[in-house]
Amino acid sequence: MLDIENLTVHYGHSVAVSGVSLTVGEGELVTLVGANGAGKTTILRTVMGLHRPTQGSIRYQGRDVAGLRPWVRSRMGVVMIPEGRRIFPELTVLENLRIGAYARTDRDGVAADLEKAYAMFPILRERAGQIGRTLSGGQQQMLAIARALVARPKLLLVDEISLGLAPILVDEVFRAVETLHREGVTIFLVEQNARKALEIADRGYVLSSGRLVLEGTAAELRANPEVKKSYLGG
Amino acid sequence: MVVQQIANGVVLGSLYALVALGLTLVYGVLRILHVAHAGVFVLGAYVGVLVYLPTGSLALAIVSAAVVCSLAGLIMYRFLYRPVLGRPPLVPLIISIGAFMFLEDLYRLVMGPYIKSLPVTIRAAGFETAAVRLTGYQLFIVAAAAGLLLGLWWLMRGTRLGLAWRASAQDLETAAAHGINTDVIIGVCFVIGSAIAAVAGVMVGGYYNQVYPSMGSVPAYKALAVIVLGGMGSVPGTVIAGLALGLAETLTMVWVGTFLPRDAIAFLVLILMLLVKPTGLLGRAS
Ligand SMILES: Nc1ncnc2c1ncn2[C@@H]1O[C@H](COP(=O)(O)OP(=O)(O)OP(=O)(O)O)[C@@H](O)[C@H]1O
Ligand SMILES: [Mg+2]
């Protein structure tokens, strides 16, 4: 579904991602873990089309997406839950969700997906008319997930969905990701919380200073002494 | 006297608000100070002269000015700003100031340095009581401004395009990542902002019965004062600030007299505002 080959990305003159190749197969949940500043967000943003690579190719459903603008990729089914949630602060919850479904023309499908999002996070229905910035951090994260859901993603890019959330909410948002995965959405999950990510993923990659250093099935990575030491807290 | 000056202030303020709206729309999505917007306003006034003198139709003059200026706005975006998106804000600002100066000289070359008159007459009746007298043309200005602002409000609040526009103004990248063609949204901002400035250009030209190459200079810096005052990027803030500035200017004539140059008031108010509330009337710290 997603094939990244030899991807290199710069910010000005400094290199953020260097020679990364990875694949996410149809229906898979693949995680990319790594420390602060490893380059995870940069990879996701480049896949979304928000950042231009210096080198390498990105193919989605077999098609090279170089040169396609973000909204075109989004309409092809690539949807991102961005780092820091990035909900629209002055729009209501419902308006945020309508932006998620903006490019869709199947009214009935949108209505059904909206119901699904509300069923997943009932608090959003209660707060439908409330302005985004007045939501708590956890509610904002739920809104960011719901906004992606109503876009009906084929490939969902998830960036640090658990960051800054209370443990009970961490479980809730990870459950939401698992649910989407079970329903057939392909997921590329970026996390610093490697323990959680490797619990739900099929496969994983480990990124360090812009380079891939390890890859394998989730079970392999969980058992890897290097991973245990550096990312799972011993 | 006071009532009369309030009425004059509302007329003047409506014009300030119309000119400044383009700056607000562009700043809202691109965070660029589109100084050359005042050059678009002057272009509108000249198109007004060129169309009104032979045809005598104010409606035709306004519509032609709006069309020409929309195109001019789009061209400026495409060739001045788009190539430098993502560069430090100083880059588009300097380009914009340069473009404004270029436009003033271009008008001087093409249309001549002297004042052209735009002797607009309209059939609408004026309004007169003991305390206040408004000409038909003044009433027309206020009505047109109100109509344009209501139309814009409806567009922003009541349509799908408006929803996409508001999302883009809050977070351009995230909007683009959610399927909104932000190039179109930015284009719409330039088109609407420039069309409104064109209408203001024709109305101002007709109000003072003069159109000249540098007529955009004073509106340029007043519009800057208005958008800072209103809280950068806030449309209702711009309208309120425009009206407030118009009123401040006419009312100081009453209470302070004319020894205080009227054009300095914009900056006095601005400085006071920045001391009291740096984010402007309706601005929010981000
Ligand atoms: N806009 C930017 N301009 C310049 N350098 C940047 C920019 N964004 C990121 N970087 C740099 O690129 C590198 C990779 O950053 P990136 O945000 O992709 O890492 P990350 O793995 O997502 O980190 P985190 O876990 O903190 O989110 C870092 O060294 C960072 O300092
Ligand atoms: Mg990151």
Side-chain angles (χ1 to χ4, degrees):
Chain A
M1 183 137 225
L2 176 70
D3 297 282
I4 299 179
E5 221 164 288
N6 195 26
L7 185 74
T8 299
V9 189
H10 285 80
Y11 289 103
H13 291 291
S14 66
V15 61
V17 171
S18 166
V20 165
S21 300
L22 58 81
T23 64
V24 181
E26 174 123 36
E28 266 194 312
L29 196 172
V30 173
T31 184
L32 175 68
V33 299
N36 245 320
K40 308 179 297 292
T41 298
T42 305
I43 292 177
L44 284 198
R45 286 171 50 84
T46 310
V47 171
M48 193 70 240
L50 295 172
H51 209 81
R52 216 182 278 276
T54 12
Q55 212 184 35
S57 75
I58 299 174
R59 285 184 308 147
Y60 167 68
Q61 293 181 322
R63 175 175 174 197
D64 190 338
V65 294
L68 296 184
R69 310 301 298 274
W71 52 89
V72 178
R73 300 185 195 202
S74 157
R75 289 168 194 181
M76 289 165 68
V78 184
V79 176
M80 183 164 71
I81 301 176
E83 184 174 57
R85 302 163 192 131
R86 303 280 287 261
I87 60 154
F88 299 103
E90 305 297 325
L91 298 186
T92 65
V93 167
L94 181 59
E95 285 172 332
N96 266 279
L97 294 174
R98 281 179 57 208
I99 293 292
Y102 194 77
R104 290 178 61 179
T105 47
D106 55 324
R107 275 166 182 270
D108 296 345
V110 171
D113 284 348
L114 198 60
E115 267 314 304
K116 215 170 91 182
Y118 282 155
M120 193 177 265
F121 304 115
I123 187 80
L124 294 181
R125 192 199 301 271
E126 285 169 37
R127 303 278 156 97
Q130 202 171 314
I131 297 291
R133 77 182 140 75
T134 63
L135 299 179
S136 72
Q139 291 163 357
Q140 291 189 1
Q141 189 59 275
M142 294 174 197
L143 179 54
I145 298 170
R147 181 179 61 184
L149 187 160
V150 297
R152 193 166 281 185
K154 296 194 179 98
L155 170 64
L156 183 62
L157 310 170
V158 186
D159 198 348
E160 308 264 22
I161 199 177
S162 66
L163 199 69
L165 296 185
I168 188 174
L169 285 172
V170 172
D171 289 341
E172 187 168 353
V173 296
F174 271 105
R175 259 202 309 279
V177 171
E178 271 188 295
T179 306
L180 289 173
H181 178 222
R182 263 201 311 277
E183 288 170 2
V185 180
T186 305
I187 295 177
F188 188 31
L189 175 75
V190 156
E191 264 301 329
Q192 275 191 53
N193 188 342
R195 179 183 302 278
K196 267 290 184 196
L198 289 172
E199 265 173 32
I200 64 170
D202 302 317
R203 292 191 301 116
Y205 294 87
V206 179
L207 189 71
S208 170
S209 307
R211 294 177 181 278
L212 285 185
V213 290
L214 272 175
E215 63 175 280
T217 65
E220 282 166 8
L221 290 176
R222 277 197 306 262
N224 183 301
E226 197 55 37
V227 174
K228 273 187 177 164
K229 185 164 139 278
S230 311
Y231 302 102
L232 301 178
Chain B
M1 179 71 172
V2 172
V3 181
Q4 178 64 51
Q5 290 303 344
I6 288 176
N8 292 347
V10 170
V11 175
L12 198 60
S14 309
L15 292 168
Y16 289 157
L18 290 185
V19 178
L21 266 177
L23 283 183
T24 295
L25 291 175
V26 170
Y27 186 85
V29 287
L30 290 182
R31 304 293 185 271
I32 283 176
L33 279 179
H34 177 28
V35 176
H37 183 62
V40 175
F41 158 84
V42 182
L43 178 64
Y46 273 116
V47 173
V49 170
L50 292 176
V51 174
Y52 185 77
L53 292 186
T55 64
S57 162
L58 183 60
L60 193 60
I62 286 178
V63 171
S64 328
V67 171
V68 171
C69 288
S70 300
L71 280 176
L74 269 184
I75 290 171
M76 282 186 182
Y77 165 57
R78 181 62 189 79
F79 294 103
L80 295 183
Y81 299 129
R82 215 174 96 172
V84 299
L85 288 184
R87 306 284 287 279
L90 210 54
V91 176
L93 178 63
I94 290 170
I95 288 177
S96 192
I97 293 172
F100 180 44
M101 287 158 58
F102 169 82
L103 284 175
E104 283 197 346
D105 279 328
L106 185 70
Y107 301 143
R108 203 165 280 129
L109 267 174
V110 176
M111 301 299 296
Y114 307 111
I115 293 176
K116 305 253 177 224
S117 68
L118 181 53
V120 174
T121 51
I122 67 171
R123 256 169 276 133
F127 172 85
E128 188 158 3
T129 67
V132 57
R133 176 174 174 278
L134 281 170
T135 65
Y137 192 63
Q138 285 178 312
L139 287 177
F140 164 70
I141 289 176
V142 174
L148 285 171
L149 293 175
L150 280 176
L152 189 62
W153 185 77
W154 168 79
L155 191 70
M156 283 168 47
R157 291 280 151 185
T159 68
R160 246 171 79 80
L161 180 71
L163 178 64
W165 178 80
R166 285 184 288 144
S168 304
Q170 288 165 38
D171 190 336
L172 196 64
E173 251 184 6
T174 306
H178 282 90
I180 293 171
N181 185 335
T182 48
D183 268 356
V184 167
I185 300 291
I186 294 168
V188 166
C189 286
F190 275 89
V191 164
I192 292 179
S194 304
I196 292 179
V199 177
V202 178
M203 292 197 304
V204 168
Y207 192 41
Y208 298 108
N209 190 16
Q210 48 187 21
V211 173
Y212 51 98
S214 63
M215 72 183 276
S217 309
V218 171
Y221 74 70
K222 283 191 186 167
L224 286 178
V226 166
I227 67 167
V228 176
L229 205 57
M232 305 296 286
S234 159
V235 170
T238 302
V239 175
I240 295 171
L243 288 173
L245 181 61
L247 286 169
E249 287 187 3
T250 51
L251 287 176
T252 40
M253 309 275 266
V254 180
W255 288 314
V256 188
T258 46
F259 74 88
L260 185 67
R262 195 175 94 174
D263 289 342
I265 288 168
F267 279 88
L268 273 179
V269 177
L270 183 64
I271 290 165
L272 282 177
M273 187 73 203
L274 290 177
L275 289 175
V276 179
K277 186 167 185 285
T279 55
L281 288 172
L282 297 189
R284 210 180 289 287
S286 57

Coordinates of all heavy atoms in Angstrom, one line a residue, chain B residues 128-197:
Chain B
E128 N -31.8 64.6 5.6 CA -31.4 65.9 6.3 C -32.4 66.2 7.4 O -33.6 66.1 7.3 CB -31.5 67.0 5.2 CG -31.0 68.3 5.8 CD -30.5 69.3 4.8 OE1 -30.7 69.0 3.6 OE2 -30.1 70.4 5.1
T129 N -31.8 66.4 8.6 CA -32.6 66.9 9.7 C -31.8 68.1 10.3 O -30.8 68.5 9.7 CB -32.7 65.8 10.9 OG1 -31.4 65.6 11.4 CG2 -33.3 64.5 10.3
A130 N -32.3 68.6 11.4 CA -31.6 69.8 12.0 C -30.2 69.4 12.3 O -29.3 70.2 12.2 CB -32.4 70.3 13.2
A131 N -30.0 68.2 12.9 CA -28.7 67.9 13.4 C -27.7 67.3 12.4 O -26.5 67.4 12.6 CB -28.9 66.9 14.6
V132 N -28.3 66.7 11.4 CA -27.4 65.9 10.5 C -27.8 66.0 9.1 O -29.0 66.0 8.7 CB -27.3 64.5 11.0 CG1 -28.6 63.8 11.1 CG2 -26.3 63.6 10.1
R133 N -26.8 66.0 8.2 CA -27.1 66.0 6.8 C -26.2 65.0 6.0 O -25.0 65.1 6.2 CB -26.9 67.4 6.2 CG -27.1 67.5 4.7 CD -27.0 69.0 4.3 NE -27.1 69.0 2.8 CZ -26.0 68.7 2.0 NH1 -24.9 68.5 2.5 NH2 -26.2 68.7 0.7
L134 N -26.8 64.1 5.4 CA -26.0 63.1 4.6 C -26.5 63.2 3.2 O -27.7 63.2 2.9 CB -26.3 61.7 5.1 CG -25.5 61.3 6.4 CD1 -26.1 60.0 6.9 CD2 -24.0 61.2 6.2
T135 N -25.5 63.2 2.3 CA -25.9 63.2 0.8 C -26.3 61.9 0.4 O -26.0 60.9 1.1 CB -24.6 63.7 0.0 OG1 -23.7 62.6 0.1 CG2 -24.1 65.0 0.4
G136 N -26.9 61.8 -0.7 CA -27.3 60.5 -1.3 C -26.1 59.6 -1.5 O -26.1 58.4 -1.3
Y137 N -25.0 60.2 -1.9 CA -23.8 59.5 -2.2 C -23.2 58.9 -0.9 O -22.8 57.7 -0.9 CB -22.7 60.3 -2.9 CG -21.6 59.5 -3.4 CD1 -21.8 58.6 -4.4 CD2 -20.3 59.7 -2.9 CE1 -20.8 57.8 -4.9 CE2 -19.3 58.9 -3.5 CZ -19.5 58.0 -4.5 OH -18.5 57.3 -5.0
Q138 N -23.3 59.6 0.2 CA -22.8 59.1 1.5 C -23.6 57.9 1.9 O -23.1 56.9 2.4 CB -22.8 60.2 2.5 CG -21.7 61.2 2.4 CD -21.8 62.3 3.5 OE1 -22.8 62.9 3.7 NE2 -20.7 62.6 4.1
L139 N -25.0 58.1 1.8 CA -25.9 57.0 2.1 C -25.5 55.7 1.3 O -25.5 54.6 1.8 CB -27.3 57.4 1.9 CG -27.9 58.3 2.9 CD1 -29.3 58.7 2.6 CD2 -27.8 57.7 4.3
F140 N -25.3 56.0 0.0 CA -24.9 54.9 -0.9 C -23.7 54.2 -0.4 O -23.6 52.9 -0.4 CB -24.7 55.4 -2.3 CG -24.0 54.5 -3.2 CD1 -24.7 53.3 -3.7 CD2 -22.7 54.7 -3.7 CE1 -24.0 52.5 -4.5 CE2 -22.1 53.9 -4.5 CZ -22.7 52.7 -4.9
I141 N -22.6 54.9 0.0 CA -21.4 54.3 0.5 C -21.7 53.4 1.7 O -21.2 52.3 1.7 CB -20.4 55.4 0.9 CG1 -19.8 56.1 -0.4 CG2 -19.2 54.8 1.7 CD1 -18.9 57.2 -0.1
V142 N -22.4 54.0 2.6 CA -22.7 53.2 3.8 C -23.5 51.9 3.5 O -23.2 50.8 4.0 CB -23.4 54.0 4.9 CG1 -23.8 53.1 6.1 CG2 -22.5 55.1 5.4
A143 N -24.5 52.1 2.6 CA -25.3 50.9 2.2 C -24.5 49.9 1.5 O -24.6 48.7 1.8 CB -26.5 51.4 1.4
A144 N -23.7 50.3 0.6 CA -22.9 49.4 -0.2 C -21.9 48.7 0.7 O -21.7 47.4 0.6 CB -22.1 50.1 -1.3
A145 N -21.3 49.4 1.6 CA -20.4 48.8 2.6 C -21.1 47.7 3.4 O -20.6 46.6 3.6 CB -19.7 49.8 3.5
A146 N -22.3 48.1 3.9 CA -23.0 47.2 4.7 C -23.4 45.9 3.9 O -23.3 44.8 4.4 CB -24.3 47.9 5.3
G147 N -23.8 46.2 2.7 CA -24.2 45.0 1.8 C -23.0 44.1 1.6 O -23.2 42.9 1.7
L148 N -21.9 44.7 1.3 CA -20.7 43.8 1.0 C -20.3 43.1 2.3 O -20.0 41.9 2.2 CB -19.5 44.7 0.6 CG -19.6 45.2 -0.8 CD1 -18.4 46.2 -1.1 CD2 -19.4 44.1 -1.8
L149 N -20.4 43.7 3.4 CA -20.0 43.1 4.7 C -20.9 41.9 5.0 O -20.5 40.9 5.4 CB -19.9 44.1 5.8 CG -18.7 45.1 5.7 CD1 -18.8 46.1 6.8 CD2 -17.4 44.4 5.7
L150 N -22.2 42.2 4.8 CA -23.2 41.1 5.1 C -23.0 39.9 4.2 O -23.0 38.8 4.6 CB -24.6 41.7 4.9 CG -25.2 42.5 6.1 CD1 -26.5 43.0 5.8 CD2 -25.2 41.5 7.4
G151 N -22.7 40.3 2.9 CA -22.4 39.2 1.9 C -21.2 38.4 2.3 O -21.3 37.1 2.3
L152 N -20.2 39.1 2.8 CA -19.0 38.4 3.2 C -19.3 37.5 4.4 O -18.8 36.4 4.5 CB -17.9 39.4 3.5 CG -16.5 38.8 3.7 CD1 -16.0 38.1 2.5 CD2 -15.5 39.9 4.1
W153 N -20.0 38.1 5.3 CA -20.4 37.3 6.6 C -21.1 36.0 6.2 O -20.9 35.0 6.7 CB -21.2 38.2 7.5 CG -21.5 37.6 8.8 CD1 -20.7 37.5 9.9 CD2 -22.8 37.0 9.2 NE1 -21.3 36.9 10.9 CE2 -22.6 36.6 10.5 CE3 -24.0 36.8 8.6 CZ2 -23.6 35.9 11.2 CZ3 -25.0 36.2 9.3 CH2 -24.8 35.7 10.6
W154 N -22.1 36.2 5.3 CA -22.9 35.0 4.9 C -21.9 34.0 4.3 O -22.0 32.8 4.5 CB -24.0 35.4 3.9 CG -24.6 34.2 3.3 CD1 -25.5 33.4 3.8 CD2 -24.3 33.7 2.0 NE1 -25.8 32.4 2.9 CE2 -25.1 32.6 1.8 CE3 -23.5 34.1 0.9 CZ2 -25.1 31.8 0.6 CZ3 -23.4 33.4 -0.2 CH2 -24.2 32.2 -0.4
L155 N -21.1 34.4 3.4 CA -20.1 33.5 2.7 C -19.3 32.7 3.7 O -19.1 31.5 3.6 CB -19.2 34.3 1.8 CG -18.4 33.5 0.8 CD1 -19.2 32.9 -0.2 CD2 -17.3 34.4 0.2
M156 N -18.8 33.5 4.8 CA -17.9 32.8 5.7 C -18.7 31.9 6.7 O -18.1 30.9 7.1 CB -17.2 33.9 6.5 CG -16.1 34.5 5.8 SD -15.5 36.0 6.7 CE -15.4 35.4 8.3
R157 N -19.9 32.3 7.1 CA -20.6 31.6 8.1 C -21.6 30.6 7.5 O -22.0 29.6 8.2 CB -21.3 32.6 9.0 CG -20.4 33.4 9.9 CD -19.9 32.6 11.0 NE -18.6 33.0 11.5 CZ -17.9 32.4 12.5 NH1 -18.5 31.4 13.1 NH2 -16.7 32.8 12.8
G158 N -22.1 30.8 6.3 CA -23.2 30.0 5.9 C -22.9 29.1 4.7 O -23.8 28.5 4.2
T159 N -21.7 29.0 4.3 CA -21.4 28.2 3.1 C -20.3 27.2 3.4 O -19.5 27.4 4.3 CB -21.0 29.0 1.9 OG1 -19.7 29.6 2.1 CG2 -22.0 30.1 1.6
R160 N -20.2 26.2 2.6 CA -19.1 25.2 2.7 C -17.8 25.8 2.4 O -16.8 25.6 3.1 CB -19.4 24.1 1.6 CG -19.7 22.8 2.0 CD -20.1 21.9 0.9 NE -18.9 21.4 0.1 CZ -18.2 20.4 0.5 NH1 -18.4 19.7 1.6 NH2 -17.1 20.0 -0.2
L161 N -17.8 26.7 1.4 CA -16.5 27.4 1.1 C -16.0 28.2 2.3 O -14.8 28.3 2.6 CB -16.7 28.4 -0.1 CG -15.5 29.2 -0.5 CD1 -14.5 28.3 -1.2 CD2 -15.9 30.3 -1.4
G162 N -17.0 28.8 3.0 CA -16.6 29.6 4.2 C -16.0 28.8 5.3 O -15.1 29.2 6.0
L163 N -16.6 27.6 5.4 CA -16.1 26.7 6.4 C -14.6 26.3 6.1 O -13.7 26.3 7.0 CB -16.9 25.4 6.5 CG -16.5 24.3 7.5 CD1 -16.5 24.8 8.9 CD2 -17.3 23.0 7.3
A164 N -14.4 26.0 4.8 CA -13.0 25.7 4.4 C -12.1 26.9 4.6 O -10.9 26.7 5.0 CB -13.0 25.2 2.9
W165 N -12.6 28.0 4.3 CA -11.8 29.3 4.5 C -11.5 29.5 5.9 O -10.3 29.8 6.3 CB -12.6 30.5 4.0 CG -11.9 31.7 4.1 CD1 -10.9 32.2 3.3 CD2 -12.0 32.7 5.2 NE1 -10.4 33.4 3.9 CE2 -11.1 33.7 5.0 CE3 -12.9 32.7 6.3 CZ2 -11.0 34.8 5.8 CZ3 -12.8 33.8 7.1 CH2 -11.8 34.8 6.9
R166 N -12.4 29.3 6.8 CA -12.1 29.5 8.3 C -11.1 28.4 8.7 O -10.1 28.8 9.5 CB -13.4 29.4 9.1 CG -14.2 30.7 9.0 CD -15.4 30.6 9.9 NE -16.4 29.7 9.4 CZ -17.2 28.9 10.1 NH1 -17.1 29.0 11.5 NH2 -18.1 28.1 9.6
A167 N -11.2 27.2 8.3 CA -10.3 26.2 8.7 C -8.9 26.5 8.2 O -7.9 26.4 8.9 CB -10.7 24.8 8.2
S168 N -8.8 27.0 6.9 CA -7.5 27.3 6.3 C -6.9 28.5 7.1 O -5.7 28.5 7.3 CB -7.7 27.7 4.9 OG -8.3 26.6 4.2
A169 N -7.7 29.4 7.5 CA -7.1 30.6 8.2 C -6.6 30.2 9.6 O -5.7 30.8 10.1 CB -8.2 31.7 8.4
Q170 N -7.2 29.1 10.1 CA -6.7 28.7 11.5 C -5.5 27.8 11.4 O -4.6 27.8 12.3 CB -7.8 28.0 12.2 CG -8.9 28.9 12.7 CD -10.2 28.3 13.1 OE1 -10.2 27.2 13.7 NE2 -11.3 28.9 12.8
D171 N -5.4 27.0 10.3 CA -4.3 26.0 10.2 C -4.2 25.6 8.7 O -4.8 24.6 8.4 CB -4.5 24.9 11.1 CG -3.2 24.0 11.2 OD1 -2.4 24.0 10.3 OD2 -3.1 23.3 12.3
L172 N -3.5 26.3 7.9 CA -3.4 26.1 6.5 C -3.0 24.7 6.1 O -3.6 24.0 5.3 CB -2.5 27.1 5.8 CG -2.6 27.3 4.3 CD1 -4.0 27.9 4.0 CD2 -1.5 28.2 3.8
E173 N -1.9 24.2 6.8 CA -1.4 22.9 6.5 C -2.4 21.8 6.8 O -2.6 20.9 6.0 CB -0.2 22.7 7.4 CG 1.1 22.7 6.7 CD 2.3 22.3 7.7 OE1 2.0 22.0 8.8 OE2 3.4 22.4 7.2
T174 N -3.0 21.9 8.0 CA -3.9 20.8 8.4 C -5.1 20.8 7.5 O -5.6 19.8 7.2 CB -4.3 21.0 9.9 OG1 -3.1 21.1 10.7 CG2 -5.1 19.8 10.4
A175 N -5.5 22.0 7.1 CA -6.7 22.1 6.2 C -6.3 21.4 4.9 O -7.1 20.5 4.3 CB -7.1 23.5 5.9
A176 N -5.1 21.6 4.4 CA -4.7 21.0 3.1 C -4.6 19.5 3.3 O -5.0 18.7 2.4 CB -3.3 21.6 2.7
A177 N -4.1 19.0 4.4 CA -4.0 17.6 4.7 C -5.4 16.9 4.8 O -5.5 15.7 4.8 CB -3.2 17.3 5.9
H178 N -6.4 17.7 5.0 CA -7.8 17.2 5.1 C -8.6 17.4 3.8 O -9.8 17.5 3.9 CB -8.5 17.7 6.3 CG -8.0 17.0 7.6 ND1 -6.9 17.5 8.3 CD2 -8.4 15.9 8.2 CE1 -6.7 16.6 9.3 NE2 -7.6 15.7 9.3
G179 N -8.0 17.5 2.7 CA -8.7 17.5 1.5 C -9.1 18.9 1.0 O -9.9 18.9 0.0
I180 N -8.7 19.9 1.6 CA -9.1 21.2 1.2 C -8.1 21.8 0.2 O -6.9 21.9 0.6 CB -9.3 22.2 2.4 CG1 -10.5 21.7 3.2 CG2 -9.5 23.6 1.9 CD1 -10.7 22.4 4.5
N181 N -8.5 22.2 -0.9 CA -7.5 22.8 -1.9 C -7.2 24.2 -1.4 O -7.9 25.1 -1.8 CB -8.1 22.7 -3.3 CG -7.1 23.2 -4.3 OD1 -6.2 24.0 -4.0 ND2 -7.3 22.8 -5.6
T182 N -6.1 24.3 -0.7 CA -5.9 25.6 -0.1 C -5.4 26.6 -1.1 O -5.5 27.8 -0.9 CB -4.8 25.5 1.1 OG1 -3.7 24.7 0.6 CG2 -5.5 24.8 2.3
D183 N -4.9 26.2 -2.3 CA -4.6 27.1 -3.3 C -5.8 27.9 -3.8 O -5.8 29.1 -4.0 CB -4.0 26.4 -4.5 CG -2.5 26.3 -4.5 OD1 -1.9 26.8 -3.5 OD2 -1.9 25.6 -5.4
V184 N -6.9 27.2 -3.9 CA -8.2 27.8 -4.3 C -8.6 28.8 -3.2 O -9.0 29.9 -3.5 CB -9.3 26.8 -4.5 CG1 -10.6 27.4 -4.6 CG2 -8.9 26.0 -5.8
I185 N -8.5 28.4 -1.9 CA -8.9 29.2 -0.8 C -8.1 30.5 -0.8 O -8.7 31.6 -0.7 CB -8.8 28.5 0.5 CG1 -9.6 27.2 0.6 CG2 -9.1 29.5 1.7 CD1 -11.1 27.5 0.6
I186 N -6.8 30.4 -1.0 CA -6.0 31.6 -1.0 C -6.4 32.5 -2.2 O -6.5 33.7 -2.1 CB -4.5 31.2 -1.1 CG1 -4.0 30.4 0.1 CG2 -3.6 32.4 -1.3 CD1 -2.7 29.7 0.0
G187 N -6.6 31.9 -3.4 CA -7.0 32.6 -4.5 C -8.3 33.4 -4.3 O -8.4 34.6 -4.6
V188 N -9.3 32.7 -3.6 CA -10.5 33.3 -3.3 C -10.3 34.6 -2.4 O -11.0 35.6 -2.6 CB -11.5 32.3 -2.6 CG1 -12.7 33.0 -1.9 CG2 -12.0 31.3 -3.6
C189 N -9.4 34.5 -1.5 CA -9.1 35.6 -0.6 C -8.6 36.8 -1.4 O -9.0 37.9 -1.1 CB -8.1 35.2 0.5 SG -8.7 34.1 1.7
F190 N -7.7 36.5 -2.3 CA -7.2 37.6 -3.1 C -8.3 38.2 -4.0 O -8.4 39.4 -4.2 CB -6.0 37.2 -4.0 CG -4.7 37.2 -3.2 CD1 -4.2 36.1 -2.5 CD2 -3.9 38.4 -3.3 CE1 -3.0 36.2 -1.8 CE2 -2.7 38.4 -2.6 CZ -2.3 37.3 -1.8
V191 N -9.1 37.3 -4.6 CA -10.2 37.8 -5.5 C -11.2 38.7 -4.7 O -11.5 39.8 -5.1 CB -10.9 36.6 -6.1 CG1 -12.3 37.1 -6.7 CG2 -10.0 36.0 -7.2
I192 N -11.6 38.2 -3.6 CA -12.7 38.9 -2.8 C -12.1 40.2 -2.2 O -12.7 41.3 -2.3 CB -13.2 38.0 -1.7 CG1 -14.0 36.9 -2.3 CG2 -14.1 38.8 -0.7 CD1 -14.6 35.9 -1.3
G193 N -10.9 40.1 -1.6 CA -10.2 41.3 -1.0 C -10.0 42.3 -2.1 O -10.3 43.5 -1.8
S194 N -9.5 41.9 -3.3 CA -9.2 42.9 -4.3 C -10.5 43.5 -4.9 O -10.6 44.7 -5.2 CB -8.4 42.2 -5.4 OG -7.3 41.6 -4.9
A195 N -11.5 42.7 -5.0 CA -12.8 43.2 -5.6 C -13.4 44.3 -4.6 O -13.9 45.3 -5.0 CB -13.8 42.1 -5.8
I196 N -13.3 44.0 -3.3 CA -13.9 44.9 -2.3 C -13.0 46.2 -2.3 O -13.6 47.3 -2.3 CB -13.9 44.3 -0.9 CG1 -14.9 43.1 -0.9 CG2 -14.3 45.3 0.1 CD1 -15.0 42.4 0.4
A197 N -11.7 46.1 -2.4 CA -10.8 47.3 -2.5 C -11.2 48.1 -3.7 O -11.2 49.3 -3.7 CB -9.4 46.9 -2.5

